[in-house]
Amino acid sequence: MTDDDRVFKALADPTRRFLLDRLFSRDGRTLTELESELDMTRFGVMKHLRILEDAGLVISQKTGREKRHFLNPVPIRLVHDRWIDKFTERRVSALTDLKRQLEEESA
Amino acid sequence: MTATADDTASTTQIYRVFIRAEPQAIWDAITTPEWTQRFGYGLRDDYELRPGGKYRGYSNKGMLAMGLPEVAVDGEVVESDPPRKLVVTWRMVMDPSMAAEGFTRLTYEIVEGKGGVTRLSVIHDVAGTPGHGAMVAGVLQGPGSGGGWTWILSDLKSLLENGQAMTTYQGDW
């Protein structure tokens, strides 16, 4: 599997995207914290975190007794540069801007 | 205010990229002015590579033309272990409000892997410096455009693997 494959695979799951969103809103969470927000066993959450780590999207660091999880956005940037920039950036950003604008208006 | 676990958790940022290059090439790209001008924001970084040595990031011509001071970033070398580890204190002095926040602590870790691929990690401790934290996370550049370490490291990867950076700020030295 290539690096890109691992990133796409990691992103192709709602639980893993949820975990990334949680780390985006606040980095450095422990497994216990992440687990408390999901209706899933500890083992299940660990499995998802493992896939995210294999893709390089999450980096874990031991601090004291706890292991903390950090979001690493670099692989997403690389996928973006390779796949999105190349073909569609202008149109995609116009559409995401429109979506944001419409959602803000309706909020 | 006592620092809680949450404070600690949210004040370290970690970025990692795998680059098809020798550790020494990555070390040189980070620590020598000839290279640092060629990727990311294109500052001319000058390090005295010994503990207590001076670190300065000099503005390029484009930045000077915008009225920014000659020294954009200042700090001090804490640890220099070429080509594996560099720890510096790091402060954005080009912006008065960030200069007032004081120093952050920046660690580069270079680990040689298999098949000519090297792992570069940037660990930026931005405790107590929210302005720095937002800037190096790329928040100030708005959604979609990237910025911060994510962009710098992607750009460094392009430079070392393809011989040229993709989107480097054209400093025109």
PDB file of all heavy atoms in Angstrom, chain B residues 40-77:
ATOM      1  N   GLY B  40       9.317  27.011   2.139  1.00  0.00           N
ATOM      2  CA  GLY B  40       8.474  27.639   3.151  1.00  0.00           C
ATOM      3  C   GLY B  40       8.411  29.145   2.955  1.00  0.00           C
ATOM      4  O   GLY B  40       8.232  29.626   1.847  1.00  0.00           O
ATOM      5  N   TYR B  41       8.612  29.863   4.036  1.00  0.00           N
ATOM      6  CA  TYR B  41       8.506  31.319   3.974  1.00  0.00           C
ATOM      7  C   TYR B  41       9.797  31.965   3.473  1.00  0.00           C
ATOM      8  O   TYR B  41       9.858  33.188   3.314  1.00  0.00           O
ATOM      9  CB  TYR B  41       8.111  31.874   5.348  1.00  0.00           C
ATOM     10  CG  TYR B  41       6.737  31.405   5.776  1.00  0.00           C
ATOM     11  CD1 TYR B  41       6.576  30.227   6.500  1.00  0.00           C
ATOM     12  CD2 TYR B  41       5.600  32.110   5.399  1.00  0.00           C
ATOM     13  CE1 TYR B  41       5.310  29.776   6.863  1.00  0.00           C
ATOM     14  CE2 TYR B  41       4.338  31.670   5.761  1.00  0.00           C
ATOM     15  CZ  TYR B  41       4.201  30.501   6.492  1.00  0.00           C
ATOM     16  OH  TYR B  41       2.958  30.052   6.847  1.00  0.00           O
ATOM     17  N   GLY B  42      10.825  31.147   3.263  1.00  0.00           N
ATOM     18  CA  GLY B  42      12.046  31.647   2.645  1.00  0.00           C
ATOM     19  C   GLY B  42      12.863  32.591   3.501  1.00  0.00           C
ATOM     20  O   GLY B  42      13.537  33.485   2.994  1.00  0.00           O
ATOM     21  N   LEU B  43      12.816  32.379   4.829  1.00  0.00           N
ATOM     22  CA  LEU B  43      13.683  33.181   5.690  1.00  0.00           C
ATOM     23  C   LEU B  43      15.121  32.686   5.556  1.00  0.00           C
ATOM     24  O   LEU B  43      15.369  31.530   5.223  1.00  0.00           O
ATOM     25  CB  LEU B  43      13.255  33.038   7.164  1.00  0.00           C
ATOM     26  CG  LEU B  43      12.278  34.083   7.696  1.00  0.00           C
ATOM     27  CD1 LEU B  43      10.938  33.939   7.002  1.00  0.00           C
ATOM     28  CD2 LEU B  43      12.111  33.942   9.192  1.00  0.00           C
ATOM     29  N   ARG B  44      16.067  33.575   5.842  1.00  0.00           N
ATOM     30  CA  ARG B  44      17.466  33.154   5.880  1.00  0.00           C
ATOM     31  C   ARG B  44      17.804  32.860   7.334  1.00  0.00           C
ATOM     32  O   ARG B  44      17.961  33.773   8.145  1.00  0.00           O
ATOM     33  CB  ARG B  44      18.365  34.260   5.307  1.00  0.00           C
ATOM     34  CG  ARG B  44      19.843  33.899   5.262  1.00  0.00           C
ATOM     35  CD  ARG B  44      20.606  34.837   4.344  1.00  0.00           C
ATOM     36  NE  ARG B  44      20.401  36.235   4.697  1.00  0.00           N
ATOM     37  CZ  ARG B  44      21.081  36.868   5.662  1.00  0.00           C
ATOM     38  NH1 ARG B  44      22.012  36.242   6.347  1.00  0.00           N
ATOM     39  NH2 ARG B  44      20.836  38.139   5.927  1.00  0.00           N
ATOM     40  N   ASP B  45      17.841  31.573   7.656  1.00  0.00           N
ATOM     41  CA  ASP B  45      18.071  31.172   9.046  1.00  0.00           C
ATOM     42  C   ASP B  45      19.564  31.070   9.323  1.00  0.00           C
ATOM     43  O   ASP B  45      20.300  30.467   8.543  1.00  0.00           O
ATOM     44  CB  ASP B  45      17.402  29.819   9.323  1.00  0.00           C
ATOM     45  CG  ASP B  45      15.900  29.966   9.538  1.00  0.00           C
ATOM     46  OD1 ASP B  45      15.458  31.079   9.866  1.00  0.00           O
ATOM     47  OD2 ASP B  45      15.189  28.963   9.372  1.00  0.00           O
ATOM     48  N   ASP B  46      19.984  31.625  10.430  1.00  0.00           N
ATOM     49  CA  ASP B  46      21.386  31.605  10.792  1.00  0.00           C
ATOM     50  C   ASP B  46      21.523  31.055  12.207  1.00  0.00           C
ATOM     51  O   ASP B  46      20.997  31.635  13.154  1.00  0.00           O
ATOM     52  CB  ASP B  46      21.940  33.046  10.697  1.00  0.00           C
ATOM     53  CG  ASP B  46      23.447  33.079  10.894  1.00  0.00           C
ATOM     54  OD1 ASP B  46      24.106  32.070  10.581  1.00  0.00           O
ATOM     55  OD2 ASP B  46      23.953  34.105  11.375  1.00  0.00           O
ATOM     56  N   TYR B  47      22.189  29.922  12.326  1.00  0.00           N
ATOM     57  CA  TYR B  47      22.351  29.262  13.627  1.00  0.00           C
ATOM     58  C   TYR B  47      23.814  29.218  14.029  1.00  0.00           C
ATOM     59  O   TYR B  47      24.672  28.900  13.200  1.00  0.00           O
ATOM     60  CB  TYR B  47      21.895  27.798  13.549  1.00  0.00           C
ATOM     61  CG  TYR B  47      20.446  27.567  13.306  1.00  0.00           C
ATOM     62  CD1 TYR B  47      19.965  27.438  12.002  1.00  0.00           C
ATOM     63  CD2 TYR B  47      19.547  27.407  14.353  1.00  0.00           C
ATOM     64  CE1 TYR B  47      18.618  27.187  11.753  1.00  0.00           C
ATOM     65  CE2 TYR B  47      18.203  27.151  14.116  1.00  0.00           C
ATOM     66  CZ  TYR B  47      17.750  27.042  12.820  1.00  0.00           C
ATOM     67  OH  TYR B  47      16.428  26.787  12.581  1.00  0.00           O
ATOM     68  N   GLU B  48      24.092  29.493  15.290  1.00  0.00           N
ATOM     69  CA  GLU B  48      25.374  29.101  15.884  1.00  0.00           C
ATOM     70  C   GLU B  48      25.117  27.756  16.544  1.00  0.00           C
ATOM     71  O   GLU B  48      24.511  27.692  17.619  1.00  0.00           O
ATOM     72  CB  GLU B  48      25.807  30.117  16.955  1.00  0.00           C
ATOM     73  CG  GLU B  48      26.332  31.428  16.392  1.00  0.00           C
ATOM     74  CD  GLU B  48      26.548  32.476  17.486  1.00  0.00           C
ATOM     75  OE1 GLU B  48      26.629  32.103  18.685  1.00  0.00           O
ATOM     76  OE2 GLU B  48      26.610  33.665  17.141  1.00  0.00           O
ATOM     77  N   LEU B  49      25.560  26.707  15.883  1.00  0.00           N
ATOM     78  CA  LEU B  49      25.127  25.366  16.281  1.00  0.00           C
ATOM     79  C   LEU B  49      25.900  24.830  17.492  1.00  0.00           C
ATOM     80  O   LEU B  49      26.734  23.937  17.385  1.00  0.00           O
ATOM     81  CB  LEU B  49      25.232  24.406  15.094  1.00  0.00           C
ATOM     82  CG  LEU B  49      24.187  24.666  13.995  1.00  0.00           C
ATOM     83  CD1 LEU B  49      24.474  23.813  12.769  1.00  0.00           C
ATOM     84  CD2 LEU B  49      22.768  24.402  14.513  1.00  0.00           C
ATOM     85  N   ARG B  50      25.633  25.420  18.624  1.00  0.00           N
ATOM     86  CA  ARG B  50      26.159  24.940  19.913  1.00  0.00           C
ATOM     87  C   ARG B  50      25.188  25.421  20.989  1.00  0.00           C
ATOM     88  O   ARG B  50      24.501  26.435  20.790  1.00  0.00           O
ATOM     89  CB  ARG B  50      27.555  25.511  20.179  1.00  0.00           C
ATOM     90  CG  ARG B  50      27.581  27.016  20.092  1.00  0.00           C
ATOM     91  CD  ARG B  50      28.908  27.618  20.499  1.00  0.00           C
ATOM     92  NE  ARG B  50      28.883  29.069  20.301  1.00  0.00           N
ATOM     93  CZ  ARG B  50      28.323  29.944  21.140  1.00  0.00           C
ATOM     94  NH1 ARG B  50      27.745  29.518  22.247  1.00  0.00           N
ATOM     95  NH2 ARG B  50      28.312  31.236  20.887  1.00  0.00           N
ATOM     96  N   PRO B  51      25.110  24.687  22.115  1.00  0.00           N
ATOM     97  CA  PRO B  51      24.196  25.128  23.171  1.00  0.00           C
ATOM     98  C   PRO B  51      24.493  26.566  23.585  1.00  0.00           C
ATOM     99  O   PRO B  51      25.650  26.921  23.793  1.00  0.00           O
ATOM    100  CB  PRO B  51      24.479  24.156  24.314  1.00  0.00           C
ATOM    101  CG  PRO B  51      25.030  22.938  23.649  1.00  0.00           C
ATOM    102  CD  PRO B  51      25.808  23.434  22.457  1.00  0.00           C
ATOM    103  N   GLY B  52      23.477  27.376  23.640  1.00  0.00           N
ATOM    104  CA  GLY B  52      23.654  28.785  23.984  1.00  0.00           C
ATOM    105  C   GLY B  52      23.951  29.664  22.779  1.00  0.00           C
ATOM    106  O   GLY B  52      24.008  30.889  22.904  1.00  0.00           O
ATOM    107  N   GLY B  53      24.135  29.040  21.622  1.00  0.00           N
ATOM    108  CA  GLY B  53      24.436  29.796  20.395  1.00  0.00           C
ATOM    109  C   GLY B  53      23.226  30.581  19.920  1.00  0.00           C
ATOM    110  O   GLY B  53      22.075  30.266  20.228  1.00  0.00           O
ATOM    111  N   LYS B  54      23.523  31.601  19.143  1.00  0.00           N
ATOM    112  CA  LYS B  54      22.473  32.505  18.676  1.00  0.00           C
ATOM    113  C   LYS B  54      21.716  31.892  17.495  1.00  0.00           C
ATOM    114  O   LYS B  54      22.299  31.229  16.651  1.00  0.00           O
ATOM    115  CB  LYS B  54      23.145  33.818  18.238  1.00  0.00           C
ATOM    116  CG  LYS B  54      22.244  35.017  18.225  1.00  0.00           C
ATOM    117  CD  LYS B  54      23.075  36.302  18.055  1.00  0.00           C
ATOM    118  CE  LYS B  54      23.442  36.522  16.590  1.00  0.00           C
ATOM    119  NZ  LYS B  54      24.014  37.867  16.348  1.00  0.00           N
ATOM    120  N   TYR B  55      20.406  32.144  17.438  1.00  0.00           N
ATOM    121  CA  TYR B  55      19.627  31.786  16.262  1.00  0.00           C
ATOM    122  C   TYR B  55      18.885  33.032  15.777  1.00  0.00           C
ATOM    123  O   TYR B  55      18.253  33.733  16.565  1.00  0.00           O
ATOM    124  CB  TYR B  55      18.632  30.666  16.565  1.00  0.00           C
ATOM    125  CG  TYR B  55      17.516  30.607  15.553  1.00  0.00           C
ATOM    126  CD1 TYR B  55      17.804  30.362  14.210  1.00  0.00           C
ATOM    127  CD2 TYR B  55      16.192  30.850  15.910  1.00  0.00           C
ATOM    128  CE1 TYR B  55      16.799  30.360  13.254  1.00  0.00           C
ATOM    129  CE2 TYR B  55      15.183  30.847  14.967  1.00  0.00           C
ATOM    130  CZ  TYR B  55      15.492  30.613  13.644  1.00  0.00           C
ATOM    131  OH  TYR B  55      14.510  30.621  12.699  1.00  0.00           O
ATOM    132  N   ARG B  56      18.986  33.298  14.486  1.00  0.00           N
ATOM    133  CA  ARG B  56      18.228  34.411  13.899  1.00  0.00           C
ATOM    134  C   ARG B  56      17.608  33.961  12.579  1.00  0.00           C
ATOM    135  O   ARG B  56      18.268  33.293  11.782  1.00  0.00           O
ATOM    136  CB  ARG B  56      19.142  35.618  13.600  1.00  0.00           C
ATOM    137  CG  ARG B  56      19.769  36.273  14.821  1.00  0.00           C
ATOM    138  CD  ARG B  56      18.754  37.069  15.634  1.00  0.00           C
ATOM    139  NE  ARG B  56      19.354  37.698  16.789  1.00  0.00           N
ATOM    140  CZ  ARG B  56      19.455  37.122  17.999  1.00  0.00           C
ATOM    141  NH1 ARG B  56      18.983  35.918  18.201  1.00  0.00           N
ATOM    142  NH2 ARG B  56      20.020  37.774  18.994  1.00  0.00           N
ATOM    143  N   GLY B  57      16.370  34.353  12.374  1.00  0.00           N
ATOM    144  CA  GLY B  57      15.734  34.153  11.074  1.00  0.00           C
ATOM    145  C   GLY B  57      15.572  35.521  10.430  1.00  0.00           C
ATOM    146  O   GLY B  57      14.824  36.363  10.933  1.00  0.00           O
ATOM    147  N   TYR B  58      16.312  35.741   9.346  1.00  0.00           N
ATOM    148  CA  TYR B  58      16.314  37.071   8.722  1.00  0.00           C
ATOM    149  C   TYR B  58      15.239  37.184   7.643  1.00  0.00           C
ATOM    150  O   TYR B  58      15.052  36.255   6.839  1.00  0.00           O
ATOM    151  CB  TYR B  58      17.687  37.369   8.118  1.00  0.00           C
ATOM    152  CG  TYR B  58      18.767  37.534   9.173  1.00  0.00           C
ATOM    153  CD1 TYR B  58      19.633  36.491   9.465  1.00  0.00           C
ATOM    154  CD2 TYR B  58      18.890  38.726   9.882  1.00  0.00           C
ATOM    155  CE1 TYR B  58      20.616  36.630  10.440  1.00  0.00           C
ATOM    156  CE2 TYR B  58      19.867  38.871  10.865  1.00  0.00           C
ATOM    157  CZ  TYR B  58      20.726  37.818  11.135  1.00  0.00           C
ATOM    158  OH  TYR B  58      21.680  37.959  12.105  1.00  0.00           O
ATOM    159  N   SER B  59      14.591  38.317   7.617  1.00  0.00           N
ATOM    160  CA  SER B  59      13.572  38.590   6.598  1.00  0.00           C
ATOM    161  C   SER B  59      14.201  38.568   5.207  1.00  0.00           C
ATOM    162  O   SER B  59      15.350  38.985   5.035  1.00  0.00           O
ATOM    163  CB  SER B  59      12.964  39.975   6.817  1.00  0.00           C
ATOM    164  OG  SER B  59      12.285  40.043   8.045  1.00  0.00           O
ATOM    165  N   ASN B  60      13.431  38.105   4.222  1.00  0.00           N
ATOM    166  CA  ASN B  60      13.912  38.178   2.850  1.00  0.00           C
ATOM    167  C   ASN B  60      13.467  39.525   2.252  1.00  0.00           C
ATOM    168  O   ASN B  60      12.770  40.312   2.903  1.00  0.00           O
ATOM    169  CB  ASN B  60      13.409  36.984   2.034  1.00  0.00           C
ATOM    170  CG  ASN B  60      11.901  36.889   2.071  1.00  0.00           C
ATOM    171  OD1 ASN B  60      11.211  37.897   1.983  1.00  0.00           O
ATOM    172  ND2 ASN B  60      11.382  35.670   2.203  1.00  0.00           N
ATOM    173  N   LYS B  61      13.879  39.768   1.013  1.00  0.00           N
ATOM    174  CA  LYS B  61      13.611  41.074   0.397  1.00  0.00           C
ATOM    175  C   LYS B  61      12.128  41.407   0.348  1.00  0.00           C
ATOM    176  O   LYS B  61      11.729  42.543   0.577  1.00  0.00           O
ATOM    177  CB  LYS B  61      14.179  41.110  -1.025  1.00  0.00           C
ATOM    178  CG  LYS B  61      15.641  41.491  -1.075  1.00  0.00           C
ATOM    179  CD  LYS B  61      16.107  41.647  -2.514  1.00  0.00           C
ATOM    180  CE  LYS B  61      17.613  41.792  -2.589  1.00  0.00           C
ATOM    181  NZ  LYS B  61      18.110  41.590  -3.958  1.00  0.00           N
ATOM    182  N   GLY B  62      11.329  40.382   0.055  1.00  0.00           N
ATOM    183  CA  GLY B  62       9.887  40.601  -0.020  1.00  0.00           C
ATOM    184  C   GLY B  62       9.326  41.074   1.312  1.00  0.00           C
ATOM    185  O   GLY B  62       8.479  41.971   1.368  1.00  0.00           O
ATOM    186  N   MET B  63       9.837  40.468   2.390  1.00  0.00           N
ATOM    187  CA  MET B  63       9.365  40.841   3.724  1.00  0.00           C
ATOM    188  C   MET B  63       9.849  42.243   4.090  1.00  0.00           C
ATOM    189  O   MET B  63       9.110  43.036   4.686  1.00  0.00           O
ATOM    190  CB  MET B  63       9.849  39.818   4.758  1.00  0.00           C
ATOM    191  CG  MET B  63       9.216  38.449   4.573  1.00  0.00           C
ATOM    192  SD  MET B  63      10.121  37.138   5.444  1.00  0.00           S
ATOM    193  CE  MET B  63       9.729  37.543   7.147  1.00  0.00           C
ATOM    194  N   LEU B  64      11.111  42.542   3.728  1.00  0.00           N
ATOM    195  CA  LEU B  64      11.647  43.878   4.017  1.00  0.00           C
ATOM    196  C   LEU B  64      10.836  44.937   3.272  1.00  0.00           C
ATOM    197  O   LEU B  64      10.536  46.001   3.820  1.00  0.00           O
ATOM    198  CB  LEU B  64      13.127  43.957   3.622  1.00  0.00           C
ATOM    199  CG  LEU B  64      14.088  43.094   4.453  1.00  0.00           C
ATOM    200  CD1 LEU B  64      15.495  43.125   3.847  1.00  0.00           C
ATOM    201  CD2 LEU B  64      14.127  43.541   5.907  1.00  0.00           C
ATOM    202  N   ALA B  65      10.459  44.591   2.036  1.00  0.00           N
ATOM    203  CA  ALA B  65       9.678  45.541   1.232  1.00  0.00           C
ATOM    204  C   ALA B  65       8.318  45.807   1.873  1.00  0.00           C
ATOM    205  O   ALA B  65       7.722  46.875   1.685  1.00  0.00           O
ATOM    206  CB  ALA B  65       9.508  45.006  -0.183  1.00  0.00           C
ATOM    207  N   MET B  66       7.831  44.826   2.623  1.00  0.00           N
ATOM    208  CA  MET B  66       6.556  45.013   3.324  1.00  0.00           C
ATOM    209  C   MET B  66       6.743  45.788   4.632  1.00  0.00           C
ATOM    210  O   MET B  66       5.795  45.968   5.405  1.00  0.00           O
ATOM    211  CB  MET B  66       5.937  43.651   3.669  1.00  0.00           C
ATOM    212  CG  MET B  66       5.330  42.921   2.491  1.00  0.00           C
ATOM    213  SD  MET B  66       5.089  41.143   2.866  1.00  0.00           S
ATOM    214  CE  MET B  66       3.938  41.270   4.250  1.00  0.00           C
ATOM    215  N   GLY B  67       7.972  46.201   4.900  1.00  0.00           N
ATOM    216  CA  GLY B  67       8.237  46.986   6.096  1.00  0.00           C
ATOM    217  C   GLY B  67       8.546  46.175   7.332  1.00  0.00           C
ATOM    218  O   GLY B  67       8.575  46.705   8.440  1.00  0.00           O
ATOM    219  N   LEU B  68       8.787  44.864   7.155  1.00  0.00           N
ATOM    220  CA  LEU B  68       9.113  44.040   8.317  1.00  0.00           C
ATOM    221  C   LEU B  68      10.580  44.246   8.702  1.00  0.00           C
ATOM    222  O   LEU B  68      11.406  44.586   7.860  1.00  0.00           O
ATOM    223  CB  LEU B  68       8.838  42.565   7.991  1.00  0.00           C
ATOM    224  CG  LEU B  68       7.353  42.252   7.788  1.00  0.00           C
ATOM    225  CD1 LEU B  68       7.170  40.838   7.266  1.00  0.00           C
ATOM    226  CD2 LEU B  68       6.584  42.438   9.086  1.00  0.00           C
ATOM    227  N   PRO B  69      10.886  44.032   9.982  1.00  0.00           N
ATOM    228  CA  PRO B  69      12.267  44.258  10.434  1.00  0.00           C
ATOM    229  C   PRO B  69      13.232  43.217   9.852  1.00  0.00           C
ATOM    230  O   PRO B  69      12.806  42.177   9.361  1.00  0.00           O
ATOM    231  CB  PRO B  69      12.169  44.127  11.955  1.00  0.00           C
ATOM    232  CG  PRO B  69      10.952  43.314  12.200  1.00  0.00           C
ATOM    233  CD  PRO B  69      10.004  43.608  11.080  1.00  0.00           C
ATOM    234  N   GLU B  70      14.517  43.526   9.960  1.00  0.00           N
ATOM    235  CA  GLU B  70      15.529  42.641   9.395  1.00  0.00           C
ATOM    236  C   GLU B  70      15.500  41.262  10.071  1.00  0.00           C
ATOM    237  O   GLU B  70      15.590  40.236   9.414  1.00  0.00           O
ATOM    238  CB  GLU B  70      16.909  43.290   9.562  1.00  0.00           C
ATOM    239  CG  GLU B  70      17.972  42.604   8.757  1.00  0.00           C
ATOM    240  CD  GLU B  70      19.369  43.060   9.144  1.00  0.00           C
ATOM    241  OE1 GLU B  70      19.495  44.098   9.831  1.00  0.00           O
ATOM    242  OE2 GLU B  70      20.321  42.374   8.762  1.00  0.00           O
ATOM    243  N   VAL B  71      15.372  41.275  11.393  1.00  0.00           N
ATOM    244  CA  VAL B  71      15.285  40.004  12.112  1.00  0.00           C
ATOM    245  C   VAL B  71      13.811  39.676  12.325  1.00  0.00           C
ATOM    246  O   VAL B  71      13.101  40.411  12.998  1.00  0.00           O
ATOM    247  CB  VAL B  71      16.025  40.071  13.469  1.00  0.00           C
ATOM    248  CG1 VAL B  71      15.828  38.783  14.250  1.00  0.00           C
ATOM    249  CG2 VAL B  71      17.501  40.342  13.251  1.00  0.00           C
ATOM    250  N   ALA B  72      13.359  38.566  11.723  1.00  0.00           N
ATOM    251  CA  ALA B  72      11.949  38.182  11.845  1.00  0.00           C
ATOM    252  C   ALA B  72      11.736  37.243  13.024  1.00  0.00           C
ATOM    253  O   ALA B  72      10.700  37.275  13.685  1.00  0.00           O
ATOM    254  CB  ALA B  72      11.472  37.521  10.555  1.00  0.00           C
ATOM    255  N   VAL B  73      12.722  36.371  13.258  1.00  0.00           N
ATOM    256  CA  VAL B  73      12.623  35.378  14.324  1.00  0.00           C
ATOM    257  C   VAL B  73      13.929  35.388  15.097  1.00  0.00           C
ATOM    258  O   VAL B  73      15.003  35.473  14.495  1.00  0.00           O
ATOM    259  CB  VAL B  73      12.397  33.956  13.741  1.00  0.00           C
ATOM    260  CG1 VAL B  73      12.200  32.942  14.858  1.00  0.00           C
ATOM    261  CG2 VAL B  73      11.220  33.929  12.787  1.00  0.00           C
ATOM    262  N   ASP B  74      13.834  35.293  16.422  1.00  0.00           N
ATOM    263  CA  ASP B  74      15.080  35.161  17.179  1.00  0.00           C
ATOM    264  C   ASP B  74      14.952  34.035  18.192  1.00  0.00           C
ATOM    265  O   ASP B  74      13.861  33.517  18.437  1.00  0.00           O
ATOM    266  CB  ASP B  74      15.484  36.479  17.848  1.00  0.00           C
ATOM    267  CG  ASP B  74      14.621  36.838  19.049  1.00  0.00           C
ATOM    268  OD1 ASP B  74      13.557  36.212  19.232  1.00  0.00           O
ATOM    269  OD2 ASP B  74      14.991  37.757  19.792  1.00  0.00           O
ATOM    270  N   GLY B  75      16.105  33.630  18.722  1.00  0.00           N
ATOM    271  CA  GLY B  75      16.109  32.538  19.681  1.00  0.00           C
ATOM    272  C   GLY B  75      17.519  32.088  19.975  1.00  0.00           C
ATOM    273  O   GLY B  75      18.486  32.770  19.611  1.00  0.00           O
ATOM    274  N   GLU B  76      17.597  30.942  20.629  1.00  0.00           N
ATOM    275  CA  GLU B  76      18.883  30.440  21.075  1.00  0.00           C
ATOM    276  C   GLU B  76      18.920  28.926  20.879  1.00  0.00           C
ATOM    277  O   GLU B  76      17.910  28.245  21.070  1.00  0.00           O
ATOM    278  CB  GLU B  76      19.009  30.753  22.573  1.00  0.00           C
ATOM    279  CG  GLU B  76      20.420  30.760  23.092  1.00  0.00           C
ATOM    280  CD  GLU B  76      20.454  31.145  24.571  1.00  0.00           C
ATOM    281  OE1 GLU B  76      20.377  32.361  24.856  1.00  0.00           O
ATOM    282  OE2 GLU B  76      20.531  30.239  25.411  1.00  0.00           O
ATOM    283  N   VAL B  77      20.086  28.420  20.510  1.00  0.00           N
ATOM    284  CA  VAL B  77      20.231  26.974  20.340  1.00  0.00           C
ATOM    285  C   VAL B  77      20.320  26.326  21.718  1.00  0.00           C
ATOM    286  O   VAL B  77      21.106  26.747  22.559  1.00  0.00           O
ATOM    287  CB  VAL B  77      21.480  26.648  19.492  1.00  0.00           C
ATOM    288  CG1 VAL B  77      21.711  25.140  19.426  1.00  0.00           C
ATOM    289  CG2 VAL B  77      21.335  27.233  18.095  1.00  0.00           C
TER     290      VAL B  77
END
